Amino acid sequence: MTTPPKPYSPRDWSSHPPIIAPDYKSTPLRGATKPLIPIRQSLSELTGPVFGQDSLGELDNDLTKNGRKDGEPLGERIIVSGKVVDELGRPQPNMLVEVWQANAAGRYVHKVDQHNAPLDPNFFGGGRCVTDDQGVYRFYSVKPGAYPWGNHPNAWRPNHIHFSLFGPSIATRLVTQMYFPGDPLLDLDPIFLSSPEKARDRLISEFDLSLTEEEFALGYRFDIVLRGPWETPMETA
Amino acid sequence: MTKGQTPSQTVGPYFAYGLTPEQYGYPLASIASPDLRTPDVEGRQIRIEGRVLDGKGEAIDDAMIEIWQADPQGRYAHPADPSYNKGRGNIAFKGFGRCGTGTDPENRFIFDSVKPGAVDDSQAPHINVIVFMRGLLSHLYTRIYFADEADANAKDPVLLSVPEDRRDTLVAAREESGGTVVYRFDIHMQGENETVFFDV
Ligand SMILES: [Fe+2]
């Protein structure tokens, strides 16, 4: 195959948060202030690391098992699954999905997390999976708890799971967070609210009874849309 | 029918055990590390190091840097590269690295790699960089060019698209210490020397 790859559609800045969102207080000193410079996508942008099934460890897709010491982690068991597609709705098979999250009490194992909630000796909180040939990923975990943070008085992050995906190139790279339906903290969270209003729903998973495993775990669906090919509507032959 | 892109969200302060576990000493295998070198790659070994500086000039200790580069022969380890299926001998070399800034006492990212070759006739050798951190809601892209490639840099279409007075922010200075070639590349998020970021 020597046909040069098609460029990707631009990052849709009407869907992504701005670089600086003052209500999220870490952004004003950290976000770039000058306009981004457009770049013509070359092979450098149209390629990216390839991570397939072989990049997975045996328990990577089961966060209820990969941190066990002497028992099961506490919390409500969940199954999170969804389809990774591009903007044209085409499934993205064999794509790495990395996830990390707090435990059921809202505590991260990360050394700098000082929240006074218990660590769970049997829960680690990091894992990964790879999409199948239909673009579907799936992992087991426990529902993460909400946790306080120092952004403003009495600030709490809604329950969420962090996601990291590459897609087919570095242009399609996406790091995001998945939220849970009906969470009253969403309307108060400057990180969630930083996304443009029309796009916020895309960050909220859906409870899905069909994903639920009877007498074992609740199912949540979270579909992910990556950048697709650059469509030039004028070119229709 | 087009579907709307899933919005980006910040990587947050607690990415390390999920994305860079080995570097930070967590019990999960990493998919990528700050050391890109593999025994099967031929070329000049280099080190790339730098800090990520906030608007006050302070080095950020919870940023994560990813780099993506060609091999010394200018080939990307990706099927879209025309040379990918043509007997590329160094299949162990992936060209992808990841480093958090929270383990070095000076909050540097430090990559050990090989110097990439030019990927096409027009572009100077460069390394693609993706920047993540708490306080950054959407990741940013930049590029590392090499100070000792002045002729190629002067013709590079991407560098030429950047206002002249900002091009220096993309060029890593070369130093040699104890036989190691070190390219220094600080990323300034803001300020007079704000690094150029691209809308990839
Ligand atoms: Fe979080």
Side-chain angles (χ1 to χ4, degrees), chain A residues 28 33 44 101 128 170 179, chain B residues 9 17 29 76 126 141 190 194:
Chain A
T33 64
S44 294
Q101 62 164 83
R128 49 181 90 98
I170 63 166
Y179 300 94
Chain B
Q9 295 272 269
Y17 69 93
Y76 284 109
H126 63 272
Y141 296 92
Q190 302 183 350
E194 181 172 319

Side-chain angles (χ1 to χ4, degrees), chain B residues 94-172:
Chain B
K94 298 279 185 243
F96 179 73
R98 195 183 249 181
C99 187
T101 59
T103 59
D104 177 70
E106 295 167 46
N107 300 330
R108 290 171 300 182
F109 55 86
I110 301 171
F111 290 102
D112 283 306
S113 190
V114 287
K115 194 168 177 198
V119 295
D120 56 37
D121 295 338
S122 62
Q123 299 192 76
H126 63 272
I127 292 177
N128 308 285
V129 179
I130 317 180
V131 180
F132 305 86
M133 71 189 81
R134 169 176 68 83
L136 195 59
L137 288 156
S138 295
H139 59 269
L140 290 174
Y141 296 92
T142 186
R143 282 182 170 201
I144 298 172
Y145 286 88
F146 301 95
D148 53 351
E149 297 283 353
D151 290 351
N153 290 347
K155 287 178 281 194
D156 182 273
V158 174
L159 275 176
L160 291 175
S161 75
V162 170
E164 200 173 352
D165 61 346
R166 299 190 65 200
R167 281 178 206 158
D168 279 356
T169 69
L170 300 174
V171 181

Side-chain angles (χ1 to χ4, degrees), chain A residues 100-102 108 147 157-158 160-162 177 191, chain B residues 10-14 17:
Chain A
W100 68 103
Q101 62 164 83
Y108 286 93
Y147 60 84
R157 294 296 333 278
H160 63 276
I161 299 177
H162 294 266
Q177 300 181 27
I191 294 181
Chain B
T10 179
V11 75
Y14 306 131
Y17 69 93

Side-chain angles (χ1 to χ4, degrees), chain A residues 11 24 26 28-31 33-34 37 44-45 87 98 101 108 111 128 168 170 173 176 179 202 225, chain B residues 3 5-7 9 17 24 26 29 55 62 66 76 78 98 126 134-135 141 143 190 194 197 199:
Chain A
R11 272 208 274 187
Y24 174 18
S26 301
L29 269 180
R30 291 186 162 200
T33 64
K34 297 194 159 81
I37 293 191
S44 294
E45 290 74 31
E87 288 166 278
E98 297 171 275
Q101 62 164 83
Y108 286 93
K111 291 164 186 126
R128 49 181 90 98
I170 63 166
R173 186 90 177 84
T176 189
Y179 300 94
R202 299 174 203 159
V225 180
Chain B
K3 291 171 172 285
Q5 293 171 14
T6 301
Q9 295 272 269
Y17 69 93
Y24 284 72
Y26 291 104
D62 55 4
E66 289 180 345
Y76 284 109
H78 185 277
R98 195 183 249 181
H126 63 272
R134 169 176 68 83
Y141 296 92
R143 282 182 170 201
Q190 302 183 350
E194 181 172 319
F197 298 104
D199 196 8

Side-chain angles (χ1 to χ4, degrees), chain A residues 138-149:
Chain A
R138 188 169 187 272
F139 64 91
Y140 290 88
S141 192
V142 298
K143 192 172 180 183
Y147 60 84
W149 61 312

